[in-house]
Amino acid sequence: MDRVEITPIPGPLSASIRVPGSKSITNRALLLAAMADGHSQIRGALFSDDTRYMLGALRQLHFKIVEDEACGLIEVQGCGGLVPAKSADLFIGGAGTAMRFLGGFLTLASGRFRLDGNSRMRERPLGELIDALRALGVVVRSELDNQRPPVVIERAPGRFAGGAATVYAHRSSQFVSALLLPAPLWKHGLRLRVIGEAGRPFVEMTLRLMERWGVETRLEGESIVISGGQRYLPQLFQVESDASSASYFAAAAILCGGSVVIENIDRGSIQGDLRFLEILGRMGAEVRWSVNAVEVIGGGTFRGIDLDMSHMPDMVPTLAAIAPFADTPTRIRNVGFIRDHESDRIAALVAELERLGAKVEQFDDGLEVHPSKLHAASIETYDDHRIAMSFAIVGLRLPGVTIEHPSCTAKTYPRFFAQLASLS
């Protein structure tokens, strides 16, 4: 489809929805399974553009993988911390997790490997990871000498030593996770000093998953310490439903009024984006937890909020898109680094909010959205799945909202628009 017009909800919502598996967890689990000693099963896995790029890369690296998409099942034969291939030219499209995580993962290989992506990926930063890998002794270079993809990694035969390094995480937590995931398999492990707090809950997710797969981690001040010589254990692993995807339907409840039940979501989730429900609660929604589900209830009116969103950057578009309907302004702070995501998300949000008639101010670190009277518009999506999904929610309340190039949601949520239509 070139575009899709969103059908407004005629009255208060009364819906139940089950969102797909987490992309962040699926791609981490795939690498953990590949590094484990033996056969693992990953259930409830997400099949989307980003996870398919990771699967394709692992196949090119000669890992044995069996998929059953209808059942949400992926089976991986791990190689105990070795990478079977001796060379590969890996194309990972726009999958940031694949680009960054594979950069660290390839320390377990020997040979020459090249990582490349689409045009937007070639604009996204990678220098912080390149610098940290070099400090650890990896021969890695940016092919265009600009600290961005494509990158070439060359590894001599032999077990990687590891050691101590500093990584700057002001622009992405993925640089941190990329180094942590293979570190237990390095000879001397890793002592990683982390500077910057961008997306810190995603680092905590990585550590909890590593522990779930059998290794020990510890914190010492501002450093994360991983002892070397450990092994990952094969698992029968269940992927949680995606908290980021759930945010759109939770936002629909506060925006349109009524109730949305989101199934297969647990209050004890390892996903930091689940805290978005707390934000909606502070804005006026009622959030009711039950066993393996959450209900969000809204009255159609709500207040704005002023907060630091650096720990849940993927939730910024969702919050900004509904903010014009609030009774008071919404100020989103400390997220300047999302300019380097799938799009310049601050600029994109400001442009599309203004296209709808909203009063919005742009800052280096975020934006402020004022209560506004909106009108119909066609929304440009910048090949950014979160821009598309966030503004689609606006169309549930505002007639005449059309989403251009909606297929970009296949990056993380291929059936988003079908499930959105089911709300009515």
Side-chain angles (χ1 to χ4, degrees):
M1 295 182 294
D2 292 330
R3 63 185 58 84
V4 60
E5 184 170 352
I6 308 301
T7 301
I9 300 294
L13 284 164
S14 179
S16 182
I17 199 90
R18 179 183 288 257
V19 298
S22 163
K23 178 263 291 187
S24 297
I25 295 177
T26 299
N27 269 354
R28 285 166 171 81
L30 286 171
L31 285 182
L32 289 165
M35 291 186 287
D37 288 320
H39 180 266
S40 292
Q41 286 190 0
I42 302 170
R43 296 180 176 178
L46 173 69
F47 286 86
S48 71
D49 286 355
D50 275 18
T51 59
R52 288 190 176 95
Y53 279 122
M54 183 68 89
L55 284 164
L58 289 174
R59 283 200 172 92
Q60 277 188 260
L61 295 172
H62 299 173
F63 287 93
K64 296 178 181 178
I65 298 172
V66 177
E67 303 169 34
D68 185 340
E69 184 168 349
C71 295
L73 176 66
I74 302 173
E75 299 184 54
V76 181
Q77 183 63 39
C79 292
L82 299 176
V83 174
K86 300 304 179 187
S87 67
D89 193 341
L90 306 173
F91 180 82
I92 50 73
T97 49
M99 173 61 73
R100 277 75 178 260
F101 293 178
L102 287 168
F105 180 71
L106 288 170
T107 59
L108 305 175
S110 60
R112 183 184 185 278
F113 302 87
R114 183 177 182 271
L115 285 163
D116 198 5
N118 62 19
S119 58
R120 177 59 183 172
M121 183 56 67
R122 283 188 166 202
E123 296 173 352
R124 297 181 67 181
L126 202 61
E128 291 89 338
L129 179 58
I130 290 172
D131 290 343
L133 288 170
R134 284 175 174 166
L136 289 165
V138 180
V139 178
V140 54
R141 61 183 175 86
S142 168
E143 198 169 78
L144 302 177
D145 199 25
N146 62 357
Q147 297 289 72
R148 288 169 167 76
V151 294
V152 175
I153 296 172
E154 297 182 72
R155 280 276 298 124
R159 188 176 173 193
F160 186 66
T166 296
V167 65
Y168 292 87
H170 300 290
R171 294 198 286 185
S172 177
S173 67
Q174 292 174 0
F175 305 138
V176 183
S177 293
L179 296 165
L180 294 176
L181 285 163
L185 307 176
W186 297 344
K187 183 177 180 180
H188 301 304
L190 175 67
R191 174 178 289 272
L192 185 65
R193 181 178 177 225
V194 180
I195 299 176
E197 290 289 322
R200 180 71 187 191
F202 287 99
V203 175
E204 294 169 1
M205 172 194 291
T206 298
L207 292 171
R208 289 181 65 181
L209 288 173
M210 290 169 64
E211 291 163 359
R212 170 71 171 79
W213 288 70
V215 306
E216 295 181 356
T217 71
R218 67 183 188 273
L219 301 179
E220 294 184 4
E222 60 183 7
S223 295
I224 303 170
V225 180
I226 313 291
S227 297
Q230 301 188 67
R231 312 300 291 175
Y232 284 117
L233 304 177
Q235 300 289 318
L236 175 58
F237 181 77
Q238 180 69 41
V239 177
E240 297 178 6
S241 289
D242 193 88
S244 307
S245 297
S247 75
Y248 306 111
F249 299 99
I254 196 172
L255 185 64
C256 300
S259 165
V260 174
V261 175
I262 304 168
E263 304 171 5
N264 201 34
I265 288 284
D266 189 274
R267 196 170 194 170
S269 167
I270 63 173
Q271 299 174 76
D273 283 353
L274 203 63
R275 291 179 54 202
F276 185 70
L277 299 178
E278 297 176 13
I279 294 173
L280 294 180
R282 291 166 59 187
M283 297 173 74
E286 183 179 356
V287 180
R288 297 178 179 174
W289 285 97
S290 59
V291 177
N292 210 32
V294 63
E295 181 180 16
V296 183
I297 304 167
T301 61
F302 55 96
R303 55 188 169 273
I305 196 166
D306 185 329
L307 77 170
D308 181 333
M309 290 285 282
S310 61
H311 285 187
M312 55 179 89
D314 287 345
M315 298 296 91
V316 171
T318 320
L319 178 59
I322 65 172
F325 298 93
D327 296 333
T328 57
T330 292
R331 175 71 162 95
I332 299 171
R333 302 179 184 273
N334 295 327
V335 293
F337 57 91
I338 70 172
R339 295 184 184 277
D340 292 317
H341 283 194
E342 284 82 344
S343 66
D344 177 341
R345 283 187 173 156
I346 294 176
L349 286 166
V350 169
E352 300 315 304
L353 286 166
E354 289 180 340
R355 196 187 304 274
L356 288 166
K359 181 183 177 184
V360 56
E361 299 174 73
Q362 180 174 179
F363 303 94
D364 288 343
D365 79 322
L367 65 160
E368 183 167 345
V369 186
H370 296 266
S372 306
K373 183 176 177 61
L374 304 186
H375 53 70
S378 181
I379 300 298
E380 180 53 59
T381 51
Y382 308 89
D383 199 26
D384 189 332
H385 57 136
R386 302 216 181 275
I387 299 297
M389 292 186 280
S390 298
F391 282 97
I393 299 304
V394 173
L396 296 178
R397 176 161 168 175
L398 178 68
V401 173
T402 299
I403 305 298
E404 300 289 337
H405 311 296
S407 61
C408 64
T409 61
K411 179 178 174 66
T412 54
Y413 200 160
R415 296 191 64 250
F416 172 76
F417 285 100
Q419 291 198 275
L420 187 71
S422 73
L423 292 182
S424 58

